Amino acid sequence: MSYVSVTKNQHIPQYCGSCWAMAAASAVSDRLRLMTKGAWPTAELSPQMIVNCASNAHGCHGGSMTSGYELMHTRGAVDEGCMRYEAKDNECTDINICRDCGHDYPCHAVQNYTKYYVEEYGSVSGEENMMKEIYARGPITCGIAVPDEVSVLSSHHKQLLAYTGGIFRDRTGTQELEHAISVAGWGEEDGVKYWIV
């Protein structure tokens, strides 16, 4: 039995800078699985609904994970079955929160659907506090630096984009946060500490 939600690509079916919504939806989906011990039905929260409706965010043009959590705290989020990922900006209207489409009738807003809320949200800082939070409640979201392609080590950036496994080591020293991820755990191999993201 797995408590981990499905891995998704924020750029399918087209480019969309929605990592902030993807990370928040993923971390909370995983926490829901942990809380229910993986019981069916599992909830896979909709990053598209978060992109559509989070305030203080810019949809596919970036946003803050905090905006995703704020939405889940105040308004609630829906399951992916209610709003599939489209990788585009939509207005936060009823049909862009939860919809259904019929064979003989057009797509329409669904009025009766389940909402998922977070009771509280905040931030932690530092390796030990991150580990404590993950251990106590499950995955967290985190901002990471991505080395700039125009840097001297531009091939390093391509390595991150082409990551296929193992421990990824960033040796550039880049610290500007440019991407959001969900952190599910940690480990150590041959004296090298790592995060499972």
Side-chain angles (χ1 to χ4, degrees), residues 10 15 19-20 142-149 157 174-180:
Q10 72 189 60
Y15 177 85
C19 60
W20 60 276
C142 188
I144 64 169
V146 179
D148 192 348
E149 280 196 55
H157 182 131
T174 301
Q175 294 184 7
E176 184 180 342
L177 302 181
E178 296 179 34
H179 190 53

Side-chain angles (χ1 to χ4, degrees), residues 110-144:
V110 173
Q111 299 302 318
N112 186 16
Y113 54 88
T114 303
K115 292 181 182 179
Y116 298 87
Y117 291 86
V118 295
E119 187 174 318
E120 60 185 9
Y121 63 97
S123 62
V124 296
S125 182
E127 178 181 344
E128 185 149 331
N129 290 331
M130 290 169 62
M131 292 157 102
K132 284 179 182 177
E133 180 64 20
I134 294 167
Y135 185 80
R137 286 176 275 285
I140 62 173
T141 54
C142 188
I144 64 169

